[in-house]
Amino acid sequence: MNLFIPIISGFYSLFLQTDKSIRSSTINQLMIKTMKFVTLACSLLFCLSSFAQENFPDGTPIPDWFRQNEIVNIETLGDKYKITDYSVVNDSTLIQTEKIQAVIDQASSKGGGVVIIPKGTYLSGALFFKPKTHLYLEEGAVLKGSDDISNFPIINTRIEGQSLKYFAALVNADKVDGFTISGKGTINGNGLRYWKSFWLRRTVIPKCTNMDELRPRLVHISNSNDVQLSGVRLINSPFWTTHIYKCNNVKLLGLYIFSPAAPVKAPSTDAIDIDVCNNVLVKNCYLSVNDDAIALKGGKGPWADKDSNNGSNTNIIIEDCTYGFCHSALTCGSESIHNRNIILRRCTINQASRLLWLKMRADTPQNYEYILVEDIKGNAKSFLYVKPWTQFFDLKDRKDVPMSYSDHVTMRNIDFDCDVFFNVSASEQYKLSNFKFENLNIKAKNGDCDKSVISSFEWDNVKAVSYTHLRAHETRHDL
């Protein structure tokens, strides 16, 4: 406020000088001038305050890019290529991969443009978008994935923290700067057959991995900058739904992402997997899947931090989203080595298993730091979940267990119902430090908290009420 005192004083001094030169002014004129001055001063205060700088958890400024969220206008993206103008027909049973790919290739050969899926249902295998090409789905349009894995070629790709040969996604874009998917249509992974086959295999081979059941992802975008996905419905993925790898400046705006938990569970259908990316905004999305809603990836294994294919996720903001059922609203891991400056805010959570899940993988060196979860309402089974994650544990040739860390984690301004408030275990494999709980209103079946498992654990205005005990207790700590 001290900043404005000399400004206001200057305006007032100018007003007084002006008043001396117009001694014949009427009282009404004087009042008008006074009102103009007050209006100007108030406007100045409002404008300056509205441009107050927001910061990431580590104190670095959040760029204006995160606030500039205009949906792409396909009129600015070049020529339009409606697939039905190129012998593609509306038929949900006829595989038309080659014809649709030919439209993409033609657009690319002519300098780029927008491939338009019109109203109707079009069955396809893997499609590969090229530089300066884009995808637009009209309202009522459905791009439907084949349930035959042979329609998805094996390529050099990235999956589950590894760079290897695996099946392409339904929609692929590699090294396509400026790539966009937009419209009001649907990309439907048609995953039911894959899900049934996975659970059948798991029954016969209980230790089978996610990749043992051969299945494609829905959307995979890699090595690309300035990407925007907006407006579309992404549903029923056979495997991960939206996977972005080694991308910078990615916006996911107003998406509807869904896969079922019943009657057949859709296994490992994460809504959004962010893998070695910088500057990612997820805004105004609906997320409900039978796995993690948003998972931060980056690599796995005892030497993961030495592999150039792996890396950090930095400057990630998830805001103004609505969550249905999911395993976790925000997960670090399990295939993750470093996440920094992560914000989850202004979201509503319903029927999640966890709000924040830090998967501490015993065979991988990990560092999850400067994480902020704020302005959240809703419910989940666990509010904070931190435990050793040992599924598929493999130290390979490493003799020691790598140490992992999580620090500077803040959860504040949250009104939440849960089964377990503090589902956190101590471990010799990781160190937790500099956590802060602030302005929390928690109702839990188990509201206990063992603060000793975190070094430098600050509480400020925390209410945790256990409502299953005959004696409900309320705790407030201000340390």
Side-chain angles (χ1 to χ4, degrees):
M1 191 65 191
N2 291 338
L3 173 66
F4 302 114
I5 291 175
I7 298 173
I8 295 171
S9 297
F11 276 116
Y12 189 63
S13 176
L14 179 61
F15 164 71
L16 290 177
Q17 292 174 17
T18 304
D19 186 59
K20 291 177 183 179
S21 66
I22 55 167
R23 291 185 174 90
S24 60
S25 296
T26 64
I27 295 298
N28 287 340
Q29 289 175 321
L30 181 62
M31 291 178 64
I32 291 171
K33 287 177 60 183
T34 302
M35 291 302 297
K36 287 182 177 179
F37 163 71
V38 171
T39 301
L40 178 61
C42 290
S43 298
L44 179 62
L45 282 168
F46 176 79
C47 290
L48 289 174
S49 63
S50 67
F51 285 99
Q53 180 65 63
E54 286 188 300
N55 293 325
F56 280 110
D58 71 354
T60 57
I62 296 177
D64 287 340
W65 177 87
F66 282 92
R67 290 178 284 273
Q68 297 165 353
N69 298 314
E70 183 178 354
I71 302 299
V72 65
N73 181 356
I74 63 169
E75 301 300 327
T76 67
L77 300 178
D79 294 337
K80 300 180 185 67
Y81 297 83
K82 182 176 290 188
I83 60 172
T84 49
D85 292 340
Y86 298 88
S87 301
V88 178
V89 297
N90 176 9
D91 189 334
S92 64
T93 64
L94 177 66
I95 190 80
Q96 299 184 84
T97 312
E98 292 183 2
K99 289 183 177 181
I100 299 173
Q101 185 63 54
V103 179
I104 298 170
D105 294 345
Q106 182 169 340
S108 175
S109 68
K110 294 185 176 181
V114 184
V115 176
I116 296 178
I117 312 294
K119 183 177 181 180
T121 302
Y122 308 88
L123 185 65
S124 179
L127 299 171
F128 298 88
F129 283 80
K130 300 180 178 181
K132 298 184 179 180
T133 60
H134 306 266
L135 175 60
Y136 181 84
L137 296 106
E138 293 182 348
E139 187 169 6
V142 179
L143 178 63
K144 182 180 179 182
S146 168
D147 63 3
D148 180 350
I149 193 61
S150 68
N151 289 308
F152 299 86
I154 297 172
I155 62 172
N156 291 318
T157 188
R158 172 80 170 187
I159 190 73
E160 290 200 330
Q162 305 168 83
S163 297
L164 40 63
K165 290 186 179 296
Y166 196 70
F167 298 95
L170 175 57
V171 175
N172 303 270
D174 182 53
K175 299 178 182 177
V176 185
D177 289 349
F179 180 63
T180 67
I181 300 176
S182 61
K184 295 183 178 180
T186 299
I187 302 177
N188 184 346
N190 190 27
L192 181 60
R193 193 206 64 78
Y194 296 102
W195 307 334
K196 287 182 175 179
S197 181
F198 175 89
W199 293 118
L200 183 62
R201 182 184 295 267
R202 180 64 65 87
T203 301
V204 177
I205 309 172
K207 292 186 178 181
C208 77
T209 69
N210 290 326
M211 293 171 58
D212 288 339
E213 177 57 39
L214 310 180
R215 51 197 174 129
R217 291 154 290 175
L218 196 67
V219 176
H220 182 223
I221 302 169
S222 55
N223 303 297
S224 302
N225 301 317
D226 304 314
V227 172
Q228 185 185 107
L229 278 62
S230 63
V232 297
R233 295 165 52 89
L234 306 174
I235 64 172
N236 299 332
S237 180
F239 202 176
W240 291 359
T241 303
T242 313
H243 181 197
I244 55 174
Y245 171 62
K246 282 200 171 181
C247 295
N248 299 302
N249 303 331
V250 179
K251 292 181 178 178
L252 300 102
L253 309 175
L255 302 174
Y256 176 95
I257 302 179
F258 175 81
S259 66
V264 179
K265 292 182 179 179
S268 307
T269 48
D270 305 5
I272 300 170
D273 289 289
I274 301 170
D275 189 359
V276 195
C277 294
N278 177 60
N279 288 349
V280 177
L281 175 66
V282 181
K283 186 176 180 70
N284 292 329
C285 293
Y286 176 80
L287 312 167
S288 181
V289 294
N290 189 59
D291 210 312
D292 300 326
I294 295 180
L296 304 180
K297 305 293 187 178
K300 69 176 180 180
W303 311 110
D305 55 342
K306 310 300 182 184
D307 186 342
S308 61
N309 292 310
N310 300 330
S312 304
N313 294 299
T314 56
N315 299 353
I316 313 296
I317 298 180
I318 305 111
E319 62 184 16
D320 304 316
C321 293
T322 301
Y323 290 76
F325 173 79
C326 59
H327 289 187
S328 177
L330 174 61
T331 299
C332 292
S334 64
E335 307 96 15
S336 190
I337 58 175
H338 184 216
N339 301 309
R340 181 185 178 100
N341 279 342
I342 314 299
I343 298 176
L344 172 68
R345 64 185 181 185
R346 302 195 304 265
C347 292
T348 300
I349 317 292
N350 186 34
Q351 297 185 331
S353 294
R354 305 161 186 88
L355 173 56
L356 176 62
W357 188 1
L358 306 181
K359 290 184 178 179
M360 310 306 292
R361 188 179 181 117
D363 62 3
T364 301
Q366 298 173 313
N367 185 11
Y368 308 147
E369 59 177 350
Y370 294 100
I371 299 171
L372 172 62
V373 179
E374 66 176 353
D375 301 322
I376 306 294
K377 61 182 179 180
N379 59 81
K381 290 182 179 178
S382 293
F383 179 77
L384 174 63
Y385 193 98
V386 187
K387 294 179 184 291
W389 196 89
T390 56
Q391 188 179 27
F392 312 129
F393 175 84
D394 185 2
L395 278 176
K396 301 185 185 297
D397 60 341
R398 184 161 181 164
K399 305 304 179 185
D400 64 318
V401 175
M403 181 61 71
S404 292
Y405 304 87
S406 183
D407 61 85
H408 293 94
V409 176
T410 298
M411 303 180 77
R412 68 188 183 200
N413 304 335
I414 299 174
D415 193 342
F416 215 72
D417 289 4
C418 56
D419 291 345
V420 182
F421 171 46
F422 192 75
N423 209 339
V424 180
S425 297
S427 172
E428 294 183 353
Q429 87 173 62
Y430 54 75
K431 295 180 179 179
L432 309 176
S433 62
N434 297 300
F435 279 49
K436 183 175 183 178
F437 283 178
E438 180 180 8
N439 297 332
L440 302 185
N441 183 22
I442 308 297
K443 294 179 181 178
K445 291 181 180 179
N446 181 351
D448 296 337
C449 177
D450 180 3
K451 297 172 69 174
S452 68
V453 302
I454 297 176
S455 175
S456 299
F457 191 1
E458 181 180 352
W459 278 32
D460 184 2
N461 190 31
V462 175
K463 299 179 184 178
V465 179
S466 292
Y467 55 79
T468 56
H469 299 163
L470 292 176
R471 179 180 58 84
H473 68 272
E474 179 175 303
T475 57
R476 291 193 188 187
H477 292 250
D478 189 356
L479 303 180

